Amino acid sequence: MAQRSDAGIPRKVTPAESSFAGPQGPPEGDELSDALREVLTLTQLTRAVLAERLAMPLTNVEAVEHVIMAQAAGEPIGPVELSRRLGVTSAAGTQSVNRLVAEGHLTRDPHPRDRRRQVLDVTPSGLEHVMGELVPLLRLLFGAGQNLSDTERAGARSYLLNVAAAYRVYISDEDAKEAN
């Protein structure tokens, strides 16, 4: 069963991850699930606030984030891949890229190995603009785990890794449905 890594690259789902396939009905909530739902809801609200503070459409903020993450992973990303990751048409993706280039947030250069393709990079001013708003949030999130004991941190990490694995299974199942 194929799935995408954090960088959007297909990879196999491990047997432990595939064990998340649960019963057909909606699962009963528990304290962890309730807390996770609250975090996910607040994450969406925070992304909207971030876009507002940056005076950018949310799709453009997400585009810059994808380019930053691709750069950090050492994996060049172009307009076509960016459109796929954003879940928008290539025309809409191109429109976002054009706007971000015009605003000085991104550059568009020839791919180092395939001159027919393009590579997107975040400009220093674009990185400073986005990170200027993100760093305070990242500091708050870092502080959220500072008072946990090693055992609590291990439990929280294990839970979050299990949640990530569950998402991978769900995404992989969606990929399988789209292929049919």
Side-chain angles (χ1 to χ4, degrees), residues 116-137:
R116 298 168 296 175
R117 294 175 49 207
Q118 296 177 331
V119 175
L120 301 172
D121 288 308
V122 176
T123 64
S125 62
L127 184 62
E128 183 179 325
H129 181 68
V130 172
M131 293 310 287
E133 285 297 331
L134 262 180
V135 166
L137 173 61

Side-chain angles (χ1 to χ4, degrees), residues 79-148:
V80 172
E81 174 63 16
L82 180 61
S83 297
R84 190 192 66 71
R85 290 185 188 189
L86 292 172
V88 300
T89 65
S90 60
T94 298
Q95 203 172 35
S96 288
V97 168
N98 289 342
R99 227 180 354 253
L100 289 165
V101 169
E103 293 169 357
H105 294 296
L106 296 180
T107 60
R108 185 182 359 214
D109 299 305
H111 191 281
R113 291 179 301 280
D114 183 351
R115 293 292 199 199
R116 298 168 296 175
R117 294 175 49 207
Q118 296 177 331
V119 175
L120 301 172
D121 288 308
V122 176
T123 64
S125 62
L127 184 62
E128 183 179 325
H129 181 68
V130 172
M131 293 310 287
E133 285 297 331
L134 262 180
V135 166
L137 173 61
L138 297 175
R139 284 190 181 126
L140 289 168
L141 294 174
F142 179 78
Q146 288 302 102
N147 294 328
L148 298 178

Side-chain angles (χ1 to χ4, degrees), residues 21-179:
Q24 293 301 328
E28 288 187 30
D30 63 30
E31 291 173 353
L32 282 176
S33 296
D34 292 344
L36 177 61
R37 266 191 298 283
E38 182 177 9
V39 166
L40 293 174
T41 299
L42 289 168
T43 297
Q44 288 181 312
L45 293 172
T46 301
R47 294 179 71 68
V49 168
L50 174 64
E52 185 177 310
R53 289 182 183 176
L54 291 170
M56 295 170 65
L58 182 55
T59 302
N60 288 6
V61 174
E62 291 171 343
V64 172
E65 289 174 342
H66 281 292
V67 174
I68 290 170
M69 293 186 62
Q71 279 181 319
E75 300 168 353
I77 186 172
V80 172
E81 174 63 16
L82 180 61
S83 297
R84 190 192 66 71
R85 290 185 188 189
L86 292 172
V88 300
T89 65
S90 60
T94 298
Q95 203 172 35
S96 288
V97 168
N98 289 342
R99 227 180 354 253
L100 289 165
V101 169
E103 293 169 357
H105 294 296
L106 296 180
T107 60
R108 185 182 359 214
D109 299 305
H111 191 281
R113 291 179 301 280
D114 183 351
R115 293 292 199 199
R116 298 168 296 175
R117 294 175 49 207
Q118 296 177 331
V119 175
L120 301 172
D121 288 308
V122 176
T123 64
S125 62
L127 184 62
E128 183 179 325
H129 181 68
V130 172
M131 293 310 287
E133 285 297 331
L134 262 180
V135 166
L137 173 61
L138 297 175
R139 284 190 181 126
L140 289 168
L141 294 174
F142 179 78
Q146 288 302 102
N147 294 328
L148 298 178
S149 70
D150 288 345
T151 302
E152 290 169 325
R153 290 177 71 80
R157 182 176 187 279
S158 178
Y159 175 71
L160 292 173
L161 290 173
N162 287 342
V163 168
Y167 276 123
R168 285 188 194 98
V169 168
Y170 182 81
I171 291 167
S172 177
D173 286 349
E174 285 301 304
D175 288 345
K177 287 177 189 174
E178 289 176 10

Side-chain angles (χ1 to χ4, degrees), residues 1-5 9-15 17 168 172:
M1 181 183 320
Q3 68 177 10
R4 302 204 193 294
S5 70
I9 300 167
R11 72 173 184 79
K12 295 272 187 194
V13 175
T14 66
E17 292 170 334
R168 285 188 194 98
S172 177

